[in-house]
Amino acid sequence: MAAPAATVSAPSRCLSSANPRSAAQLNPTSLAFAAPSAGHRRGGDRCLGVRAKVASGVQSASVVGDEAQRPWKLSDARLVLEDGSVWRAKSFGASGTQVAEVVFNTSLTGYQEILTDPSYAGQFVLMTNPHIGNTGVNPDDEESNQCFLGGLIIRNLSICTSNWRCKETLEEYLIKRNIMGIYDVDTRAITRRLREDGSLIGVLSTDESRTDAELLEMAKKWKIVGVDLISGVTCDAPYEWSDKTDSEWEFKKDQSSETFHVVAYDFGIKHNIMRRLTSYGCKITVVPANWPASKVLNLKPDGVLFSNGPGDPAAVPYAVKTVQEIVGKIPVFGICMGHQLIGQALGGKTFKMKFGHHGGNHPVCDLRSGRVDISSQNHNYAVDPESLPEGAQVTHINLNDNSCAGLQYPKMKLMSLQYHPESSPGPHDSDTAFGEFIELMKTNRS
Protein backbone atom coordinates (compact mmCIF):
# COMPACT_ATOMS: atom_id res chain seq x y z
CA MET A 1 0.00 0.00 0.00
CA ALA A 2 1.31 3.40 -1.01
CA ALA A 3 2.37 5.80 1.70
CA PRO A 4 0.01 8.72 2.31
CA ALA A 5 0.94 12.07 0.79
CA ALA A 6 2.89 14.41 3.05
CA THR A 7 0.71 16.97 4.74
CA VAL A 8 3.50 19.43 5.54
CA SER A 9 5.66 20.75 2.70
CA ALA A 10 9.03 22.44 3.05
CA PRO A 11 9.07 26.19 2.52
CA SER A 12 9.87 27.30 -1.01
CA ARG A 13 13.43 28.48 -1.71
CA CYS A 14 12.47 30.38 -4.83
CA LEU A 15 9.88 32.88 -5.97
CA SER A 16 6.73 31.31 -7.31
CA SER A 17 4.72 32.67 -10.22
CA ALA A 18 1.70 30.99 -8.67
CA ASN A 19 1.66 33.74 -6.06
CA PRO A 20 2.10 36.94 -8.08
CA ARG A 21 1.14 39.33 -5.32
CA SER A 22 3.75 38.12 -2.84
CA ALA A 23 6.43 37.93 -5.56
CA ALA A 24 5.76 41.47 -6.75
CA GLN A 25 5.91 42.88 -3.24
CA LEU A 26 9.32 41.42 -2.39
CA ASN A 27 12.22 43.81 -1.86
CA PRO A 28 14.15 43.81 -5.17
CA THR A 29 17.56 44.25 -3.57
CA SER A 30 17.68 41.60 -0.86
CA LEU A 31 15.82 38.51 0.17
CA ALA A 32 16.00 36.34 3.27
CA PHE A 33 14.79 32.75 3.26
CA ALA A 34 13.86 31.86 6.81
CA ALA A 35 14.55 28.47 8.31
CA PRO A 36 11.42 26.34 8.84
CA SER A 37 9.95 25.81 12.27
CA ALA A 38 11.00 22.76 14.24
CA GLY A 39 9.87 19.48 12.76
CA HIS A 40 9.35 20.77 9.21
CA ARG A 41 11.66 18.63 7.07
CA ARG A 42 11.47 16.78 3.78
CA GLY A 43 13.50 13.67 2.99
CA GLY A 44 15.33 13.99 6.28
CA ASP A 45 17.31 17.05 5.11
CA ARG A 46 17.62 20.15 7.24
CA CYS A 47 16.56 23.47 5.72
CA LEU A 48 18.90 26.28 6.73
CA GLY A 49 18.29 30.01 6.45
CA VAL A 50 20.06 31.63 3.49
CA ARG A 51 20.59 35.29 2.69
CA ALA A 52 20.77 36.11 -0.96
CA LYS A 53 20.61 39.02 -3.37
CA VAL A 54 17.86 39.03 -5.99
CA ALA A 55 18.85 39.63 -9.60
CA SER A 56 16.66 42.53 -10.61
CA GLY A 57 16.23 41.61 -14.29
CA VAL A 58 14.44 38.37 -13.47
CA GLN A 59 12.30 39.99 -10.82
CA SER A 60 11.06 42.91 -12.94
CA ALA A 61 7.31 42.93 -13.47
CA SER A 62 5.71 43.35 -16.89
CA VAL A 63 2.61 45.36 -17.77
CA VAL A 64 0.44 43.77 -20.44
CA GLY A 65 -2.15 45.37 -22.72
CA ASP A 66 -4.98 45.25 -20.20
CA GLU A 67 -2.74 47.08 -17.69
CA ALA A 68 -2.60 44.03 -15.44
CA GLN A 69 0.79 43.57 -13.84
CA ARG A 70 2.61 40.25 -14.10
CA PRO A 71 5.36 39.23 -11.67
CA TRP A 72 7.82 38.13 -14.38
CA LYS A 73 8.93 40.05 -17.42
CA LEU A 74 7.80 38.92 -20.86
CA SER A 75 9.97 38.29 -23.90
CA ASP A 76 11.34 41.63 -25.06
CA ALA A 77 14.38 40.66 -27.13
CA ARG A 78 15.24 38.73 -30.26
CA LEU A 79 18.23 36.82 -31.55
CA VAL A 80 18.06 36.67 -35.35
CA LEU A 81 20.60 34.34 -37.00
CA GLU A 82 21.84 34.61 -40.56
CA ASP A 83 20.12 31.31 -41.42
CA GLY A 84 16.78 33.10 -40.94
CA SER A 85 15.84 31.64 -37.56
CA VAL A 86 14.38 34.03 -34.96
CA TRP A 87 14.68 33.30 -31.23
CA ARG A 88 12.50 35.23 -28.78
CA ALA A 89 14.04 35.87 -25.37
CA LYS A 90 14.09 38.12 -22.33
CA SER A 91 16.72 40.80 -21.99
CA PHE A 92 19.06 41.70 -19.15
CA GLY A 93 22.00 44.05 -19.09
CA ALA A 94 22.14 46.75 -21.76
CA SER A 95 19.47 47.46 -24.38
CA GLY A 96 19.85 48.16 -28.08
CA THR A 97 20.87 46.28 -31.22
CA GLN A 98 24.18 44.49 -31.67
CA VAL A 99 25.61 42.20 -34.37
CA ALA A 100 28.31 39.55 -33.81
CA GLU A 101 29.31 35.95 -34.45
CA VAL A 102 27.53 33.42 -32.20
CA VAL A 103 29.72 30.78 -30.52
CA PHE A 104 28.97 28.36 -27.69
CA ASN A 105 31.10 27.79 -24.59
CA THR A 106 30.91 24.52 -22.64
CA SER A 107 32.51 25.75 -19.40
CA LEU A 108 30.54 24.95 -16.25
CA THR A 109 31.97 27.90 -14.31
CA GLY A 110 33.85 31.12 -14.93
CA TYR A 111 31.37 33.30 -16.80
CA GLN A 112 33.06 36.43 -15.48
CA GLU A 113 36.44 35.39 -16.85
CA ILE A 114 34.73 34.64 -20.18
CA LEU A 115 33.06 38.06 -20.22
CA THR A 116 36.41 39.80 -19.77
CA ASP A 117 38.47 37.63 -22.14
CA PRO A 118 39.47 39.94 -25.03
CA SER A 119 39.56 36.94 -27.38
CA TYR A 120 35.73 37.10 -27.50
CA ALA A 121 35.70 40.48 -29.24
CA GLY A 122 33.17 40.43 -32.07
CA GLN A 123 31.28 37.45 -30.67
CA PHE A 124 28.11 36.58 -28.77
CA VAL A 125 28.91 33.86 -26.24
CA LEU A 126 26.24 31.24 -25.63
CA MET A 127 26.75 29.30 -22.39
CA THR A 128 25.73 25.64 -22.67
CA ASN A 129 25.59 25.37 -18.88
CA PRO A 130 21.93 26.32 -18.28
CA HIS A 131 22.17 28.12 -14.93
CA ILE A 132 24.21 31.36 -14.97
CA GLY A 133 24.57 34.22 -12.49
CA ASN A 134 24.22 32.35 -9.19
CA THR A 135 27.69 33.37 -7.93
CA GLY A 136 27.36 37.00 -8.99
CA VAL A 137 30.42 39.06 -9.91
CA ASN A 138 33.54 40.11 -7.98
CA PRO A 139 36.52 42.37 -8.81
CA ASP A 140 39.13 39.59 -8.49
CA ASP A 141 38.10 37.43 -11.44
CA GLU A 142 38.61 39.97 -14.23
CA GLU A 143 40.81 38.84 -17.14
CA SER A 144 41.09 42.36 -18.57
CA ASN A 145 39.97 45.88 -17.71
CA GLN A 146 36.73 45.71 -19.70
CA CYS A 147 34.30 43.41 -21.52
CA PHE A 148 34.99 43.01 -25.23
CA LEU A 149 32.36 40.46 -26.27
CA GLY A 150 29.19 41.52 -28.08
CA GLY A 151 26.70 39.88 -25.74
CA LEU A 152 25.82 36.93 -23.49
CA ILE A 153 23.21 34.26 -24.30
CA ILE A 154 22.01 31.97 -21.49
CA ARG A 155 19.16 29.63 -20.64
CA ASN A 156 18.38 30.54 -17.03
CA LEU A 157 19.38 33.73 -15.23
CA SER A 158 19.65 33.08 -11.52
CA ILE A 159 17.05 35.00 -9.50
CA CYS A 160 19.54 35.46 -6.67
CA THR A 161 23.26 35.35 -5.98
CA SER A 162 24.95 33.54 -3.13
CA ASN A 163 28.74 33.63 -2.91
CA TRP A 164 31.12 34.98 -0.29
CA ARG A 165 33.03 37.03 -2.89
CA CYS A 166 29.98 38.46 -4.69
CA LYS A 167 29.86 42.27 -4.96
CA GLU A 168 27.10 42.74 -7.54
CA THR A 169 24.71 40.76 -9.71
CA LEU A 170 25.51 39.72 -13.25
CA GLU A 171 22.87 42.10 -14.63
CA GLU A 172 24.24 45.07 -12.68
CA TYR A 173 27.68 44.24 -14.00
CA LEU A 174 26.52 44.08 -17.65
CA ILE A 175 24.54 47.32 -17.39
CA LYS A 176 27.61 49.20 -16.12
CA ARG A 177 29.66 47.86 -19.03
CA ASN A 178 26.96 48.34 -21.67
CA ILE A 179 26.86 44.63 -22.58
CA MET A 180 23.66 43.01 -23.83
CA GLY A 181 22.36 39.73 -22.46
CA ILE A 182 19.35 37.48 -23.13
CA TYR A 183 17.87 34.55 -21.22
CA ASP A 184 14.89 32.19 -21.40
CA VAL A 185 16.00 31.06 -24.85
CA ASP A 186 16.58 27.45 -25.97
CA THR A 187 20.38 27.40 -25.80
CA ARG A 188 20.47 23.66 -26.39
CA ALA A 189 18.68 23.99 -29.73
CA ILE A 190 20.92 26.89 -30.80
CA THR A 191 24.04 24.92 -29.84
CA ARG A 192 22.92 21.95 -31.95
CA ARG A 193 22.35 24.31 -34.87
CA LEU A 194 25.85 25.78 -34.48
CA ARG A 195 27.40 22.30 -34.31
CA GLU A 196 25.57 21.21 -37.45
CA ASP A 197 25.84 24.40 -39.53
CA GLY A 198 28.92 26.06 -38.01
CA SER A 199 29.27 29.44 -36.32
CA LEU A 200 26.60 31.89 -37.45
CA ILE A 201 26.37 35.67 -37.49
CA GLY A 202 23.51 36.92 -35.33
CA VAL A 203 21.80 40.12 -34.27
CA LEU A 204 20.63 40.77 -30.72
CA SER A 205 17.98 43.45 -30.41
CA THR A 206 15.54 44.87 -27.87
CA ASP A 207 14.29 47.40 -30.44
CA GLU A 208 10.72 46.42 -31.34
CA SER A 209 10.64 49.00 -34.14
CA ARG A 210 13.01 46.86 -36.21
CA THR A 211 11.45 44.02 -38.19
CA ASP A 212 12.86 40.50 -38.28
CA ALA A 213 13.69 41.04 -41.95
CA GLU A 214 15.74 44.14 -41.14
CA LEU A 215 17.69 42.31 -38.46
CA LEU A 216 18.27 39.35 -40.78
CA GLU A 217 19.66 41.69 -43.42
CA MET A 218 22.09 43.11 -40.82
CA ALA A 219 23.27 39.59 -39.98
CA LYS A 220 23.81 38.66 -43.61
CA LYS A 221 25.84 41.80 -44.38
CA TRP A 222 28.14 41.66 -41.36
CA LYS A 223 31.49 39.88 -41.72
CA ILE A 224 34.12 38.78 -39.21
CA VAL A 225 36.55 36.85 -41.44
CA GLY A 226 39.44 39.05 -42.53
CA VAL A 227 38.74 41.74 -39.92
CA ASP A 228 41.54 43.01 -37.65
CA LEU A 229 40.07 42.69 -34.16
CA ILE A 230 43.40 42.83 -32.34
CA SER A 231 43.81 46.57 -32.85
CA GLY A 232 40.63 47.14 -30.83
CA VAL A 233 41.77 45.20 -27.75
CA THR A 234 45.54 45.82 -27.48
CA CYS A 235 47.06 48.32 -25.04
CA ASP A 236 47.97 51.86 -26.14
CA ALA A 237 51.51 51.96 -24.72
CA PRO A 238 54.06 49.67 -23.02
CA TYR A 239 53.72 48.97 -19.31
CA GLU A 240 55.25 46.75 -16.63
CA TRP A 241 53.36 43.88 -14.97
CA SER A 242 54.38 42.53 -11.54
CA ASP A 243 51.31 40.89 -9.98
CA LYS A 244 51.60 37.20 -9.10
CA THR A 245 48.87 34.67 -8.55
CA ASP A 246 47.38 35.39 -5.10
CA SER A 247 48.81 33.11 -2.41
CA GLU A 248 45.37 31.69 -1.59
CA TRP A 249 45.03 30.43 -5.20
CA GLU A 250 48.66 29.43 -5.80
CA PHE A 251 49.05 25.68 -6.32
CA LYS A 252 52.71 25.64 -7.44
CA LYS A 253 54.87 25.59 -4.33
CA ASP A 254 58.40 25.34 -5.80
CA GLN A 255 58.95 28.91 -6.96
CA SER A 256 61.89 29.67 -9.27
CA SER A 257 64.87 31.47 -7.73
CA GLU A 258 65.91 32.91 -11.11
CA THR A 259 64.38 35.99 -12.71
CA PHE A 260 63.66 36.26 -16.43
CA HIS A 261 62.70 39.33 -18.40
CA VAL A 262 59.83 38.53 -20.77
CA VAL A 263 58.33 40.94 -23.30
CA ALA A 264 54.66 40.11 -23.85
CA TYR A 265 52.92 41.22 -27.05
CA ASP A 266 49.39 42.22 -26.15
CA PHE A 267 47.10 40.82 -28.84
CA GLY A 268 44.37 40.63 -26.18
CA ILE A 269 46.36 39.23 -23.28
CA LYS A 270 44.63 37.82 -20.19
CA HIS A 271 45.70 38.89 -16.72
CA ASN A 272 46.18 35.35 -15.48
CA ILE A 273 48.69 34.54 -18.21
CA MET A 274 50.85 37.33 -16.82
CA ARG A 275 50.19 36.29 -13.22
CA ARG A 276 51.34 32.74 -13.96
CA LEU A 277 54.52 33.93 -15.69
CA THR A 278 55.28 36.26 -12.79
CA SER A 279 54.71 33.41 -10.34
CA TYR A 280 57.30 31.41 -12.30
CA GLY A 281 59.87 34.17 -11.78
CA CYS A 282 59.35 36.46 -14.76
CA LYS A 283 59.52 40.24 -14.94
CA ILE A 284 57.08 41.25 -17.67
CA THR A 285 57.05 44.20 -20.04
CA VAL A 286 53.81 44.38 -22.03
CA VAL A 287 53.87 46.06 -25.45
CA PRO A 288 51.13 46.92 -27.98
CA ALA A 289 50.39 44.61 -30.90
CA ASN A 290 52.06 46.94 -33.40
CA TRP A 291 55.24 47.52 -31.37
CA PRO A 292 58.33 47.20 -33.61
CA ALA A 293 60.37 44.02 -33.22
CA SER A 294 63.58 46.08 -33.23
CA LYS A 295 62.53 47.93 -30.07
CA VAL A 296 61.75 44.64 -28.34
CA LEU A 297 65.11 43.13 -29.29
CA ASN A 298 66.87 46.28 -28.03
CA LEU A 299 65.49 45.50 -24.56
CA LYS A 300 67.49 42.23 -24.67
CA PRO A 301 64.76 40.16 -23.02
CA ASP A 302 65.22 36.50 -22.06
CA GLY A 303 62.08 35.61 -24.01
CA VAL A 304 59.02 36.90 -25.82
CA LEU A 305 55.40 35.89 -25.31
CA PHE A 306 52.91 36.21 -28.17
CA SER A 307 49.56 36.30 -26.40
CA ASN A 308 46.04 35.18 -27.09
CA GLY A 309 43.71 37.47 -29.02
CA PRO A 310 40.52 37.66 -31.09
CA GLY A 311 39.72 37.04 -34.72
CA ASP A 312 41.46 35.93 -37.87
CA PRO A 313 45.28 35.67 -37.78
CA ALA A 314 45.37 36.23 -41.55
CA ALA A 315 43.85 39.70 -40.97
CA VAL A 316 46.91 40.98 -39.06
CA PRO A 317 49.92 40.69 -41.40
CA TYR A 318 51.78 43.29 -39.32
CA ALA A 319 51.72 40.88 -36.37
CA VAL A 320 52.95 37.99 -38.54
CA LYS A 321 55.85 40.17 -39.73
CA THR A 322 56.76 41.01 -36.13
CA VAL A 323 56.83 37.32 -35.20
CA GLN A 324 59.05 36.56 -38.21
CA GLU A 325 61.55 39.22 -37.13
CA ILE A 326 61.83 37.80 -33.59
CA VAL A 327 61.60 34.01 -34.05
CA GLY A 328 65.01 32.33 -34.01
CA LYS A 329 66.76 35.17 -32.18
CA ILE A 330 65.43 34.56 -28.64
CA PRO A 331 63.08 32.01 -27.05
CA VAL A 332 59.40 32.61 -27.81
CA PHE A 333 56.13 31.20 -26.46
CA GLY A 334 52.87 31.57 -28.36
CA ILE A 335 49.43 31.08 -26.81
CA CYS A 336 46.22 30.78 -28.86
CA MET A 337 46.44 33.68 -31.37
CA GLY A 338 50.19 33.72 -30.72
CA HIS A 339 50.33 30.04 -31.72
CA GLN A 340 48.51 30.80 -34.99
CA LEU A 341 50.76 33.77 -35.76
CA ILE A 342 53.83 31.59 -35.22
CA GLY A 343 52.36 29.03 -37.62
CA GLN A 344 51.94 31.69 -40.28
CA ALA A 345 55.36 33.21 -39.57
CA LEU A 346 56.94 29.82 -40.25
CA GLY A 347 55.23 29.72 -43.65
CA GLY A 348 52.24 27.64 -42.58
CA LYS A 349 48.55 28.27 -43.15
CA THR A 350 45.62 28.78 -40.80
CA PHE A 351 41.97 28.01 -41.45
CA LYS A 352 38.61 28.81 -39.89
CA MET A 353 37.08 25.92 -37.98
CA LYS A 354 33.44 24.91 -38.27
CA PHE A 355 32.46 26.11 -34.80
CA GLY A 356 35.77 26.40 -33.00
CA HIS A 357 36.78 25.29 -29.52
CA HIS A 358 35.33 27.22 -26.59
CA GLY A 359 35.25 25.73 -23.11
CA GLY A 360 37.16 24.34 -20.15
CA ASN A 361 36.86 20.61 -20.88
CA HIS A 362 38.84 19.88 -24.07
CA PRO A 363 41.14 16.82 -23.92
CA VAL A 364 44.62 17.43 -25.36
CA CYS A 365 47.33 14.82 -25.85
CA ASP A 366 51.02 15.66 -25.52
CA LEU A 367 52.47 13.48 -28.30
CA ARG A 368 55.93 13.57 -26.71
CA SER A 369 54.85 11.77 -23.54
CA GLY A 370 51.35 10.47 -24.18
CA ARG A 371 50.05 12.57 -21.29
CA VAL A 372 46.46 13.82 -21.65
CA ASP A 373 45.45 17.18 -20.18
CA ILE A 374 41.96 18.62 -19.87
CA SER A 375 42.40 22.10 -21.26
CA SER A 376 40.69 25.48 -21.50
CA GLN A 377 40.26 26.65 -25.11
CA ASN A 378 38.86 29.62 -27.00
CA HIS A 379 39.58 29.89 -30.72
CA ASN A 380 37.84 29.71 -34.10
CA TYR A 381 41.00 29.25 -36.18
CA ALA A 382 43.66 26.54 -36.28
CA VAL A 383 47.07 25.86 -37.84
CA ASP A 384 47.22 23.38 -40.72
CA PRO A 385 50.10 21.06 -39.69
CA GLU A 386 50.57 19.82 -43.26
CA SER A 387 51.57 23.33 -44.32
CA LEU A 388 54.40 23.69 -41.80
CA PRO A 389 58.06 23.49 -42.86
CA GLU A 390 60.42 20.66 -42.01
CA GLY A 391 61.71 21.06 -38.46
CA ALA A 392 58.44 22.36 -37.02
CA GLN A 393 57.00 19.62 -34.83
CA VAL A 394 53.39 19.13 -33.71
CA THR A 395 53.62 18.45 -29.97
CA HIS A 396 49.93 18.40 -28.99
CA ILE A 397 46.64 17.45 -30.62
CA ASN A 398 43.05 18.05 -29.58
CA LEU A 399 41.56 14.60 -29.00
CA ASN A 400 38.07 15.73 -30.04
CA ASP A 401 39.06 16.38 -33.67
CA ASN A 402 42.84 15.73 -33.89
CA SER A 403 43.52 19.39 -34.75
CA CYS A 404 46.95 20.88 -34.04
CA ALA A 405 47.12 22.07 -30.41
CA GLY A 406 50.82 22.70 -29.94
CA LEU A 407 54.13 23.25 -31.78
CA GLN A 408 57.84 23.34 -31.11
CA TYR A 409 60.83 24.13 -33.28
CA PRO A 410 64.01 23.56 -31.25
CA LYS A 411 66.29 25.16 -33.84
CA MET A 412 64.17 28.34 -33.76
CA LYS A 413 63.84 28.32 -29.92
CA LEU A 414 60.05 28.36 -30.02
CA MET A 415 57.08 26.63 -28.44
CA SER A 416 53.37 27.32 -28.75
CA LEU A 417 49.99 26.08 -27.58
CA GLN A 418 46.60 26.56 -29.21
CA TYR A 419 44.89 26.50 -25.82
CA HIS A 420 45.19 28.39 -22.52
CA PRO A 421 47.67 26.93 -20.01
CA GLU A 422 46.65 29.54 -17.40
CA SER A 423 43.12 28.08 -17.58
CA SER A 424 40.95 30.89 -16.29
CA PRO A 425 38.43 29.39 -16.13
CA GLY A 426 39.37 25.74 -16.35
CA PRO A 427 41.56 22.97 -14.89
CA HIS A 428 45.24 23.53 -14.14
CA ASP A 429 46.59 20.46 -15.97
CA SER A 430 48.59 22.50 -18.49
CA ASP A 431 50.26 24.95 -16.10
CA THR A 432 53.52 23.05 -16.61
CA ALA A 433 53.80 24.74 -20.03
CA PHE A 434 55.03 27.88 -18.26
CA GLY A 435 57.75 25.77 -16.68
CA GLU A 436 58.76 24.56 -20.15
CA PHE A 437 59.12 28.16 -21.29
CA ILE A 438 61.32 28.87 -18.26
CA GLU A 439 63.54 25.90 -19.17
CA LEU A 440 63.74 27.14 -22.76
CA MET A 441 65.01 30.53 -21.53
CA LYS A 442 67.42 28.87 -19.07
CA THR A 443 68.94 26.76 -21.85
CA ASN A 444 69.36 29.80 -24.05
CA ARG A 445 71.19 31.62 -21.22
CA SER A 446 73.79 28.88 -20.78
Side-chain angles (χ1 to χ4, degrees), residues 27-86:
N27 187 322
T29 59
S30 64
L31 177 66
F33 295 101
S37 57
H40 288 197
R41 299 183 184 177
R42 185 165 65 182
D45 295 331
R46 295 194 179 194
C47 294
L48 301 178
V50 179
R51 293 200 63 83
K53 186 172 185 178
V54 173
S56 58
V58 185
Q59 182 63 18
S60 299
S62 296
V63 178
V64 292
D66 58 3
E67 311 241 338
Q69 192 175 55
R70 295 182 179 178
W72 311 111
K73 71 184 297 180
L74 303 176
S75 296
D76 62 345
R78 286 167 291 168
L79 170 65
V80 179
L81 299 178
E82 63 176 309
D83 64 359
S85 59
V86 179

Side-chain angles (χ1 to χ4, degrees), residues 287-352:
V287 298
N290 60 359
W291 201 249
S294 58
K295 289 188 176 182
V296 168
L297 295 174
N298 286 340
L299 295 174
K300 301 187 183 304
D302 296 295
V304 172
L305 172 78
F306 299 115
S307 81
N308 62 292
D312 183 356
V316 286
Y318 61 88
V320 176
K321 184 175 183 293
T322 297
V323 176
Q324 288 175 330
E325 293 174 352
I326 293 176
V327 162
K329 296 181 173 67
I330 51 177
V332 301
F333 182 17
I335 294 177
C336 201
M337 171 61 79
H339 162 82
Q340 296 161 17
L341 294 174
I342 285 175
Q344 288 206 354
L346 293 176
K349 297 179 180 179
T350 56
F351 63 93
K352 193 174 194 297

Side-chain angles (χ1 to χ4, degrees), residues 101-157:
E101 180 182 40
V102 183
V103 298
F104 63 89
N105 187 296
T106 56
S107 296
L108 298 180
T109 62
Y111 55 81
Q112 185 178 350
E113 290 93 328
I114 291 167
L115 287 167
T116 52
D117 182 349
S119 296
Y120 282 113
Q123 295 178 323
F124 295 142
V125 179
L126 179 152
M127 302 297 295
T128 59
N129 184 28
H131 196 60
I132 302 295
N134 53 311
T135 56
V137 175
N138 70 82
D140 299 326
D141 288 346
E142 305 279 81
E143 286 297 332
S144 66
N145 295 327
Q146 67 182 90
C147 297
F148 290 98
L149 82 174
L152 185 64
I153 303 169
I154 62 176
R155 179 66 183 92
N156 298 322
L157 178 62

Side-chain angles (χ1 to χ4, degrees), residues 263-415:
V263 174
Y265 269 90
D266 179 10
F267 301 131
I269 196 166
K270 295 172 64 180
H271 288 171
N272 269 304
I273 290 177
M274 295 186 285
R275 289 192 185 106
R276 293 312 297 145
L277 279 173
T278 306
S279 294
Y280 271 85
C282 295
K283 171 191 172 184
I284 301 174
T285 301
V286 185
V287 298
N290 60 359
W291 201 249
S294 58
K295 289 188 176 182
V296 168
L297 295 174
N298 286 340
L299 295 174
K300 301 187 183 304
D302 296 295
V304 172
L305 172 78
F306 299 115
S307 81
N308 62 292
D312 183 356
V316 286
Y318 61 88
V320 176
K321 184 175 183 293
T322 297
V323 176
Q324 288 175 330
E325 293 174 352
I326 293 176
V327 162
K329 296 181 173 67
I330 51 177
V332 301
F333 182 17
I335 294 177
C336 201
M337 171 61 79
H339 162 82
Q340 296 161 17
L341 294 174
I342 285 175
Q344 288 206 354
L346 293 176
K349 297 179 180 179
T350 56
F351 63 93
K352 193 174 194 297
M353 308 177 81
K354 185 176 181 180
F355 48 80
H357 297 155
H358 310 277
N361 49 9
H362 288 258
V364 168
C365 179
D366 185 336
L367 299 177
R368 300 166 298 181
S369 64
R371 170 188 164 110
V372 175
D373 290 346
I374 303 302
S375 67
S376 177
Q377 305 208 8
N378 174 23
H379 61 103
N380 267 15
Y381 294 82
V383 174
D384 177 6
E386 299 299 324
S387 67
L388 295 171
E390 184 178 354
Q393 306 165 10
V394 175
T395 56
H396 298 74
I397 60 170
N398 187 305
L399 292 179
N400 286 336
D401 57 12
N402 290 322
S403 59
C404 175
L407 295 172
Q408 71 175 14
Y409 199 156
K411 182 180 177 181
M412 304 295 280
K413 310 173 187 176
L414 71 80
M415 59 177 287

Side-chain angles (χ1 to χ4, degrees), residues 35 77 182 304 432:
I182 60 170
V304 172
T432 53

Side-chain angles (χ1 to χ4, degrees), residues 49 58 80 121 123 133-134 180 187 196 217 242 252 256 275 283 309 313 388 418 445:
V58 185
V80 179
Q123 295 178 323
N134 53 311
M180 296 183 68
T187 52
E196 292 168 3
E217 187 66 17
S242 59
K252 180 183 178 296
S256 173
R275 289 192 185 106
K283 171 191 172 184
L388 295 171
Q418 179 59 85
R445 268 185 178 180

